[in-house]
């Protein structure tokens, strides 16, 4: 949602937009009342808009589209149907001439990335599918009479890291592609070489623009006003469509719109007769910098034949610098209030320490260790890089805890040194295996690990561990979950629940990741082939609920739901006995 807001309004998303992005039912983040290029396009003659794909657009722009078919972005296991529901509308819409804007937002590539990363075997076939759709649309633009003045914009709202996730600050996550396609663009460009050789580094670019630059660029190309809250800058590569005076007019209109936001943000500064109030040879603040840059714009306007280049340069310099300053201001917080909150928290911790001083001194080494870990963990939250790699802290804490336990038990070690050392070494080895089981975080998210390099190749070993896990669960439920139930009842209930869970897991895996399926477990799927995944999931959850209820009933056999005291109110017999236990 934050990226869609940047693309359509040209503004910079706030932290609140990121939070609201997780609230699927949220309607407070609607952009229906804001100025966007969608609203401008709809206001033009014949302004019918249609949308197919991610239903985020429908939440952001209610009552905006004439025809829609929204798909949910939260079913990340769906690689196929989520895109087929979009593609099935495209051929018929390309034959219609009753709309002037169509949004198609595909989710399949995003889902594949979340499930198995950018190197998934499903990625290249899906990219080829998207290439085919772009080809069909562009061929229609070239051949259909009603598409003579049509522009196709192909862009991503975000990228992904090596693990297929997004939302961070890595280059892969913040560098989505942007392509403008139209037969009319051949008059100003011969296109770009594609494909290109692999870059020496991680990424290579034809040109770099901000995502917010899309809004003013569409406004200039399609002939409607720039959105009011826009901070984007018209992409200069398209200026060759116009003569000298129109080039200046387009950039001036963009710069004057940004100037209104600058004036509101720096109300204490004057942007007229600047040189009388500001020393532009050495501006001291962001407001003075922008004032001096706007003074330079005023010096070059109006333009003469030889001054167009200087005017365009001054307008672009002011717009880019204002975009940079205002974008950074969107993430500026009241530092004094942050420091005040930290001070209050520190005071509360100190007060707790003073109140429990004697008890803390009398506490054992284990309590002191836990307190130390808690304090270090709290300090870690002040650095975003540590938050992104939080698992490293817990790996260190677990290793330190094991070492501490080994060192603080000298008597046990002296009594049986070999057994203690072997047990300690086994625990450390297990911890090391857990660390390499599934790489996470940001820095090492795409590195090889056991789950993605060994288990897919050795399916039998994977499913043997799965079966062993469910057998252990069945045994625990039978003996500990239902201890007072008759032995046959507890055994039957635990086996039935675990069998249903295993069958659902196998069916879900067969639909979601068939590459790790094996012929061995297809035998177990046959009894459940007629049931949908939803029905199987409901069966498992109902079984869990029934087991929980049965556990409560068998563990507290003396609860009387019908017993009444003299006042006629339901009560527990001898409640203190059970509360104390």
């Amino acid at each position: 949602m934050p990226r869609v807001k940047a693309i359509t309004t040209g503004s910079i998303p706030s932290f609140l937009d990121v939070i609201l992005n997780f609230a699927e039912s949220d309607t407070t983040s609607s952009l229906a009342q804001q100025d966007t290029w969608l609203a401008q396009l709809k206001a033009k003659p014949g302004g019918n808009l249609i949308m197919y794909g991610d239903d985020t657009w429908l939440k952001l722009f209610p009552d905006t589209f004439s025809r829609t078919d929204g798909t949910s972005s939260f079913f990340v296991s769906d690689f196929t149907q989520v895109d087929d529901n979009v593609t099935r509308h495209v051929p018929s819409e390309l034959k219609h001439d009753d709309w002037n804007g169509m949004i198609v937002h595909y989710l399949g590539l995003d889902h594949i990335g979340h499930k198995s990363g950018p190197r998934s075997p499903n990625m290249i076939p899906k990219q080829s599918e998207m290439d085919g759709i772009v080809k069909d649309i562009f061929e229609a633009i070239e051949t259909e009479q009603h598409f003579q003045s049509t522009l196709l914009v192909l862009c991503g709202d975000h990228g992904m890291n090596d693990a297929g996730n997004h939302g961070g600050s890595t280059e892969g996550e913040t560098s989505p592609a942007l392509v403008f396609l139209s037969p009319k663009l051949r008059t100003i460009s011969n296109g770009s070489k594609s494909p290109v050789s692999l870059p020496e580094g991680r990424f290579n670019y034809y040109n770099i623009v901000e995502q917010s630059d899309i809004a003013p660029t569409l406004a200039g190309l399609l002939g409607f006003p720039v959105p009011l809250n826009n901070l984007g800058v018209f992409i200069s590569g398209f200026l060759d469509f116009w003569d000298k005076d129109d080039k200046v007019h387009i950039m001036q209109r963009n710069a004057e719109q940004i100037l209104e936001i600058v004036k509101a943000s720096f109300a204490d500064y004057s942007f007229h007769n600047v040189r009388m109030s500001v020393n532009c040879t050495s501006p001291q603040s962001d407001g003075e910098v922008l004032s001096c840059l706007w003074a330079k714009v005023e010096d070059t306007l109006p333009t003469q034949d030889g001054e167009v280049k200087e005017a365009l340069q001054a307008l672009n310099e002011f717009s880019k610098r204002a975009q940079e300053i205002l974008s950074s201001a969107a993430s500026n917080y009241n530092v004094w209030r942050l420091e005040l909150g930290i001070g209050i928290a520190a005071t509360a911790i100190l007060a707790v320490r003073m109140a429990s001083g004697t008890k803390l001194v009398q506490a054992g080494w284990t309590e002191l260790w836990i307190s130390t870990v808690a304090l270090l963990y709290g300090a870690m939250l002040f650095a975003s890089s540590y938050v992104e790699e939080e698992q490293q802290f817990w790996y260190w804490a677990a290793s330190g805890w094991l070492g501490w336990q080994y060192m603080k038990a000298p008597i046990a070690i002296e009594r049986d040194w070999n057994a203690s050392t072997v047990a300690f070494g086994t625990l450390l080895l297990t911890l090391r295996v857990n660390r390499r089981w599934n790489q996470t975080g940001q820095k090492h998210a795409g590195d090889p690990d056991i789950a993605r390099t060994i288990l897919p190749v050795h399916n039998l070993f994977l499913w043997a561990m799965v079966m062993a896990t469910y057998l252990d669960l069945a045994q625990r439920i039978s003996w500990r979950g239902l201890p007072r139930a008759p032995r046959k009842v507890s055994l039957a209930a635990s086996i039935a629940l675990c069998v249903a869970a295993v069958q659902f897991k196998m069916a879900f895996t067969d639909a979601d990741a068939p590459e790790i399926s094996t012929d061995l477990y297809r035998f177990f799927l046959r009894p459940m082939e007629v049931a949908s995944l939803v029905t199987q999931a409901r069966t498992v959850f109902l079984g869990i609920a029934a087991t929980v209820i049965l556990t409560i009933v068998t563990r507290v056999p003396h609860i009387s739901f019908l017993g009444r005291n003299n006042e006629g109110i339901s009560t527990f017999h001898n409640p203190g006995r059970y509360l104390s236990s």
Side-chain angles (χ1 to χ4, degrees):
M1 184 269 283
R3 296 295 98 204
V4 174
K5 179 179 180 180
I7 291 171
T8 55
T9 66
S11 60
I12 306 300
S14 65
F15 179 74
L16 182 61
D17 294 315
V18 179
I19 298 299
L20 294 177
N21 188 47
F22 293 96
E24 191 171 10
S25 60
D26 172 66
T27 57
T28 60
S29 55
S30 169
L31 300 178
Q33 305 303 321
Q34 293 194 32
D35 191 12
T36 65
W37 58 259
L38 284 172
Q40 298 285 358
L41 198 58
K42 188 175 182 179
K44 292 174 70 70
N48 288 323
L49 304 178
I50 57 179
M51 198 292 300
Y52 301 108
D54 188 353
D55 59 5
T56 299
W57 291 82
L58 302 180
K59 299 168 187 174
L60 291 176
F61 305 100
D63 304 321
T64 298
F65 303 101
S66 301
R67 294 189 293 272
T68 65
D69 188 2
T71 57
S72 175
S73 60
F74 283 86
F75 295 101
V76 295
S77 299
D78 182 7
F79 304 160
T80 305
Q81 197 66 37
V82 70
D83 285 346
D84 290 346
N85 286 336
V86 178
T87 302
R88 64 191 177 97
H89 297 284
V90 173
S92 60
E93 293 294 355
L94 294 178
K95 300 296 182 182
H96 295 158
D97 60 356
D98 62 341
W99 54 266
N100 64 349
M102 178 171 70
I103 310 293
V104 286
H105 190 151
Y106 286 91
L107 293 168
L109 282 171
D110 180 63
H111 288 186
I112 292 172
H114 282 299
K115 288 294 294 183
S116 48
R119 297 177 181 83
S120 166
N122 298 309
M123 187 62 76
I124 292 179
K126 178 59 69 173
Q127 290 173 330
S128 298
E129 178 187 337
M130 295 297 103
D131 286 345
I133 294 166
V134 173
K135 178 183 177 182
D136 292 342
I137 296 176
F138 188 75
E139 287 179 348
I141 293 175
E142 288 186 307
T143 58
E144 297 291 342
Q145 185 69 21
H146 56 278
F147 284 147
Q148 283 188 345
S149 299
T150 299
L151 172 67
L152 172 61
V153 181
L154 176 67
C155 66
D157 53 344
H158 56 74
M160 64 178 66
N161 59 18
D162 289 338
N165 299 320
H166 54 85
S169 58
T170 63
E171 192 174 18
E173 296 168 87
T174 58
S175 303
L178 173 63
V179 183
F180 290 81
L181 302 97
S182 175
K184 289 194 172 185
L185 291 177
R186 295 190 178 114
T187 60
I188 64 170
S189 173
N190 294 323
S192 302
K193 180 182 177 182
S194 179
V196 296
S197 58
L198 292 175
E200 295 181 1
R202 288 175 54 81
F203 293 91
N204 200 358
Y205 308 94
Y206 297 106
N207 190 22
I208 298 178
V209 299
E210 295 295 328
Q211 212 163 37
S212 56
D213 295 345
I214 296 176
T217 302
L218 289 179
L221 292 174
L222 301 180
F224 51 75
V226 178
L228 292 176
N229 295 321
N230 165 74
L231 291 178
V233 181
F234 186 89
I235 299 175
S236 59
F238 293 105
L239 288 174
D240 290 337
F241 266 128
W242 295 274
D243 58 25
K244 294 180 180 179
D245 291 337
D246 287 337
K247 289 179 181 178
V248 175
H249 175 70
I250 289 173
M251 294 301 295
Q252 182 179 355
R253 185 177 64 174
N254 188 183
E256 289 175 344
Q257 174 269 323
I258 295 178
L259 177 63
E260 294 303 314
I261 303 178
V262 171
K263 289 179 178 179
S265 301
F266 298 93
D268 296 335
Y269 294 87
S270 172
F271 290 86
H272 298 287
N273 300 321
V274 173
R275 301 190 189 282
M276 298 179 60
S277 57
V278 178
N279 181 12
C280 288
T281 58
S282 57
Q284 300 297 316
S285 64
D286 289 338
E288 292 183 357
V289 169
L290 295 178
S291 296
C292 293
L293 289 176
W294 186 250
K296 184 177 179 181
V297 169
E298 290 182 328
D299 290 344
T300 59
L301 296 175
T303 61
Q304 303 296 326
D305 289 341
E307 299 174 350
V308 171
K309 183 177 180 180
E310 289 78 4
L312 290 176
Q313 182 177 354
L315 287 165
N316 189 67
E317 185 178 4
F318 167 79
S319 300
K320 287 289 187 182
R321 187 69 174 129
Q323 181 188 52
E324 178 185 348
I325 291 174
L326 293 174
S327 298
S328 61
S331 59
N332 288 342
Y333 303 104
N334 191 316
V335 177
W336 183 85
R337 291 185 178 181
L338 292 175
E339 292 174 345
L340 177 62
I342 294 173
I344 294 174
T347 303
I349 293 175
L350 182 61
V352 171
R353 171 67 180 85
M354 294 175 63
S356 60
T358 56
K359 292 186 177 180
L360 194 60
V361 172
Q362 297 172 358
W365 290 108
T366 299
E367 289 77 6
L368 291 176
W369 172 265
I370 294 175
S371 300
T372 302
V373 170
L375 289 173
L376 291 176
Y377 179 70
M380 184 191 73
L381 297 179
F382 286 95
S384 61
S385 57
Y386 282 118
V387 173
E388 292 175 350
E389 304 295 332
E390 179 185 346
Q391 74 283 353
Q392 301 294 341
F393 173 84
W394 292 113
Y395 293 154
W396 169 85
S399 300
W401 173 256
L402 291 176
W404 179 259
Q405 292 297 314
Y406 182 75
M407 293 173 60
K408 75 188 252 323
I411 298 177
I413 295 175
E414 291 176 2
R415 189 182 306 154
D416 195 346
W417 185 89
N418 290 332
S420 300
T421 303
V422 170
F424 176 66
T426 302
L427 289 174
L428 286 180
L429 179 62
T430 303
L431 178 62
R432 182 60 188 171
V433 172
N434 287 336
R435 293 182 63 172
R436 295 293 296 177
W437 191 271
N438 193 357
Q439 293 282 15
T440 184
Q442 292 289 331
K443 186 180 295 185
H444 305 288
D447 292 351
D449 54 34
I450 296 173
R452 280 176 287 188
T453 58
I454 297 178
L455 296 184
V457 181
H458 301 85
N459 289 350
L460 290 178
F461 176 67
L462 169 63
W463 286 102
M465 289 194 296
V466 170
M467 293 298 182
T469 301
Y470 279 101
L471 286 173
D472 180 64
L473 284 174
Q475 187 268 340
R476 289 174 181 269
I477 294 173
S478 174
W479 285 99
R480 299 184 183 181
L482 304 170
R484 299 182 181 177
R487 181 63 183 143
K488 292 182 179 179
V489 173
S490 64
L491 187 61
S494 61
I495 291 177
L497 177 61
C498 289
V499 167
V502 168
Q503 288 184 326
F504 169 70
K505 186 174 186 67
M506 289 179 171
F508 185 84
T509 302
D510 193 48
D512 181 49
E515 65 274 8
I516 62 174
S517 300
T518 63
D519 295 333
L520 177 64
Y521 76 76
R522 292 190 182 278
F523 170 79
F524 295 96
L525 288 179
R526 291 176 184 172
M528 299 292 287
E529 285 179 348
V530 295
S532 66
L533 288 176
V534 174
T535 301
Q536 295 183 50
R538 288 173 178 171
T539 302
V540 174
F541 283 114
L542 287 174
I544 294 173
T547 304
V548 170
I549 293 173
L550 188 59
T551 300
I552 294 174
V553 172
T554 56
R555 278 185 177 271
V556 191
H558 299 296
I559 291 180
S560 176
F561 297 98
L562 299 177
R564 296 181 180 271
N565 60 12
N566 294 331
E567 297 178 356
I569 302 176
S570 298
T571 183
F572 290 97
H573 293 296
N574 195 9
R577 171 187 170 190
Y578 300 109
L579 292 176
S580 63
S581 61

Short mmCIF file of all heavy atoms in Angstrom, two decimals, residues 270-295:
data_model
loop_
_atom_site.label_atom_id
_atom_site.label_comp_id
_atom_site.label_asym_id
_atom_site.label_seq_id
_atom_site.Cartn_x
_atom_site.Cartn_y
_atom_site.Cartn_z
N SER A 270 11.41 33.35 3.18
CA SER A 270 10.80 34.04 2.04
C SER A 270 11.36 33.47 0.74
O SER A 270 12.55 33.16 0.65
CB SER A 270 11.10 35.54 2.11
OG SER A 270 10.67 36.18 0.91
N PHE A 271 10.49 33.34 -0.25
CA PHE A 271 10.93 32.83 -1.54
C PHE A 271 10.75 33.87 -2.64
O PHE A 271 10.66 33.54 -3.82
CB PHE A 271 10.16 31.54 -1.87
CG PHE A 271 10.55 30.38 -1.00
CD1 PHE A 271 9.94 30.18 0.24
CD2 PHE A 271 11.57 29.53 -1.37
CE1 PHE A 271 10.32 29.14 1.05
CE2 PHE A 271 11.96 28.49 -0.55
CZ PHE A 271 11.32 28.28 0.65
N HIS A 272 10.70 35.14 -2.22
CA HIS A 272 10.68 36.27 -3.14
C HIS A 272 11.69 37.30 -2.64
O HIS A 272 11.83 37.54 -1.43
CB HIS A 272 9.28 36.88 -3.23
CG HIS A 272 8.25 35.92 -3.75
ND1 HIS A 272 8.18 35.53 -5.07
CD2 HIS A 272 7.26 35.25 -3.12
CE1 HIS A 272 7.18 34.68 -5.24
NE2 HIS A 272 6.61 34.48 -4.05
N ASN A 273 12.42 37.88 -3.57
CA ASN A 273 13.50 38.81 -3.20
C ASN A 273 14.46 38.16 -2.20
O ASN A 273 14.82 38.73 -1.17
CB ASN A 273 12.92 40.10 -2.60
CG ASN A 273 12.02 40.83 -3.58
OD1 ASN A 273 12.31 40.87 -4.79
ND2 ASN A 273 10.93 41.39 -3.07
N VAL A 274 14.84 36.93 -2.51
CA VAL A 274 15.62 36.11 -1.58
C VAL A 274 16.96 36.74 -1.27
O VAL A 274 17.43 36.75 -0.13
CB VAL A 274 15.80 34.69 -2.16
CG1 VAL A 274 16.74 33.88 -1.28
CG2 VAL A 274 14.45 34.00 -2.27
N ARG A 275 17.61 37.31 -2.27
CA ARG A 275 18.99 37.77 -2.08
C ARG A 275 19.09 38.95 -1.11
O ARG A 275 20.18 39.27 -0.62
CB ARG A 275 19.59 38.14 -3.43
CG ARG A 275 19.59 36.96 -4.41
CD ARG A 275 20.39 37.23 -5.66
NE ARG A 275 20.21 36.20 -6.66
CZ ARG A 275 20.78 35.02 -6.64
NH1 ARG A 275 21.59 34.71 -5.64
NH2 ARG A 275 20.56 34.15 -7.61
N MET A 276 17.97 39.56 -0.81
CA MET A 276 17.98 40.66 0.16
C MET A 276 17.97 40.15 1.60
O MET A 276 18.31 40.88 2.53
CB MET A 276 16.76 41.57 -0.07
CG MET A 276 16.73 42.23 -1.44
SD MET A 276 15.25 43.26 -1.66
CE MET A 276 15.46 44.45 -0.35
N SER A 277 17.58 38.87 1.81
CA SER A 277 17.46 38.35 3.17
C SER A 277 18.37 37.15 3.45
O SER A 277 18.56 36.79 4.60
CB SER A 277 16.01 37.95 3.45
OG SER A 277 15.57 36.99 2.49
N VAL A 278 18.92 36.55 2.42
CA VAL A 278 19.72 35.34 2.60
C VAL A 278 21.04 35.49 1.85
O VAL A 278 21.06 35.98 0.71
CB VAL A 278 18.97 34.09 2.07
CG1 VAL A 278 19.85 32.85 2.20
CG2 VAL A 278 17.66 33.91 2.83
N ASN A 279 22.10 35.08 2.48
CA ASN A 279 23.41 35.06 1.82
C ASN A 279 23.53 33.75 1.05
O ASN A 279 23.84 32.71 1.62
CB ASN A 279 24.52 35.19 2.86
CG ASN A 279 25.89 35.18 2.22
OD1 ASN A 279 26.03 35.29 1.01
ND2 ASN A 279 26.93 35.06 3.06
N CYS A 280 23.29 33.80 -0.26
CA CYS A 280 23.26 32.58 -1.06
C CYS A 280 24.64 32.03 -1.38
O CYS A 280 24.74 30.96 -2.01
CB CYS A 280 22.48 32.84 -2.35
SG CYS A 280 20.69 33.01 -2.08
N THR A 281 25.69 32.74 -0.99
CA THR A 281 27.02 32.18 -1.21
C THR A 281 27.34 31.08 -0.21
O THR A 281 28.14 30.19 -0.48
CB THR A 281 28.08 33.29 -1.09
OG1 THR A 281 27.97 33.91 0.20
CG2 THR A 281 27.87 34.34 -2.18
N SER A 282 26.69 31.14 0.96
CA SER A 282 26.90 30.10 1.98
C SER A 282 25.63 29.89 2.78
O SER A 282 25.55 30.29 3.95
CB SER A 282 28.05 30.48 2.91
OG SER A 282 27.79 31.74 3.51
N PRO A 283 24.58 29.29 2.18
CA PRO A 283 23.33 29.03 2.91
C PRO A 283 23.57 28.08 4.07
O PRO A 283 24.33 27.10 3.95
CB PRO A 283 22.42 28.44 1.84
CG PRO A 283 23.33 27.89 0.80
CD PRO A 283 24.53 28.78 0.79
N GLN A 284 22.90 28.34 5.20
CA GLN A 284 23.17 27.59 6.43
C GLN A 284 22.16 26.49 6.73
O GLN A 284 22.45 25.56 7.46
CB GLN A 284 23.20 28.56 7.62
CG GLN A 284 24.26 29.63 7.49
CD GLN A 284 25.67 29.06 7.45
OE1 GLN A 284 26.00 28.16 8.24
NE2 GLN A 284 26.49 29.55 6.55
N SER A 285 20.96 26.58 6.18
CA SER A 285 19.91 25.62 6.52
C SER A 285 19.24 25.14 5.24
O SER A 285 19.45 25.69 4.15
CB SER A 285 18.88 26.26 7.46
OG SER A 285 18.21 27.34 6.80
N ASP A 286 18.39 24.11 5.40
CA ASP A 286 17.66 23.58 4.24
C ASP A 286 16.74 24.65 3.65
O ASP A 286 16.61 24.75 2.42
CB ASP A 286 16.84 22.35 4.65
CG ASP A 286 17.71 21.15 4.94
OD1 ASP A 286 18.85 21.11 4.45
OD2 ASP A 286 17.24 20.24 5.66
N GLY A 287 16.10 25.44 4.51
CA GLY A 287 15.23 26.49 4.02
C GLY A 287 15.99 27.52 3.20
O GLY A 287 15.52 27.98 2.14
N GLU A 288 17.19 27.91 3.66
CA GLU A 288 18.00 28.87 2.91
C GLU A 288 18.48 28.28 1.59
O GLU A 288 18.53 28.97 0.57
CB GLU A 288 19.19 29.31 3.76
CG GLU A 288 18.79 30.17 4.96
CD GLU A 288 20.00 30.64 5.74
OE1 GLU A 288 21.13 30.26 5.36
OE2 GLU A 288 19.83 31.40 6.72
N VAL A 289 18.84 27.00 1.60
CA VAL A 289 19.27 26.34 0.36
C VAL A 289 18.16 26.39 -0.68
O VAL A 289 18.39 26.75 -1.85
CB VAL A 289 19.68 24.88 0.65
CG1 VAL A 289 19.86 24.11 -0.64
CG2 VAL A 289 20.96 24.83 1.47
N LEU A 290 16.95 26.03 -0.28
CA LEU A 290 15.84 26.02 -1.22
C LEU A 290 15.48 27.43 -1.67
O LEU A 290 15.11 27.66 -2.83
CB LEU A 290 14.63 25.33 -0.60
CG LEU A 290 14.80 23.83 -0.30
CD1 LEU A 290 13.55 23.27 0.36
CD2 LEU A 290 15.09 23.05 -1.58
N SER A 291 15.58 28.41 -0.75
CA SER A 291 15.31 29.81 -1.12
C SER A 291 16.28 30.27 -2.20
O SER A 291 15.89 30.92 -3.18
CB SER A 291 15.42 30.71 0.11
OG SER A 291 14.43 30.39 1.07
N CYS A 292 17.55 29.94 -2.04
CA CYS A 292 18.56 30.36 -3.01
C CYS A 292 18.38 29.65 -4.35
O CYS A 292 18.58 30.24 -5.42
CB CYS A 292 19.95 30.10 -2.44
SG CYS A 292 20.37 31.15 -1.01
N LEU A 293 18.01 28.38 -4.30
CA LEU A 293 17.79 27.66 -5.56
C LEU A 293 16.58 28.22 -6.30
O LEU A 293 16.59 28.29 -7.54
CB LEU A 293 17.59 26.17 -5.27
CG LEU A 293 18.83 25.39 -4.83
CD1 LEU A 293 18.45 23.95 -4.48
CD2 LEU A 293 19.88 25.39 -5.94
N TRP A 294 15.54 28.62 -5.55
CA TRP A 294 14.39 29.23 -6.23
C TRP A 294 14.75 30.61 -6.78
O TRP A 294 14.25 31.02 -7.85
CB TRP A 294 13.20 29.32 -5.29
CG TRP A 294 11.98 29.80 -6.03
CD1 TRP A 294 11.36 31.01 -5.89
CD2 TRP A 294 11.25 29.09 -7.03
NE1 TRP A 294 10.30 31.10 -6.75
CE2 TRP A 294 10.20 29.92 -7.47
CE3 TRP A 294 11.40 27.83 -7.61
CZ2 TRP A 294 9.30 29.55 -8.44
CZ3 TRP A 294 10.49 27.45 -8.58
CH2 TRP A 294 9.46 28.30 -9.00
N ALA A 295 15.61 31.35 -6.09
CA ALA A 295 16.07 32.63 -6.61
C ALA A 295 16.81 32.43 -7.94
O ALA A 295 16.68 33.25 -8.87
CB ALA A 295 16.98 33.32 -5.59
#
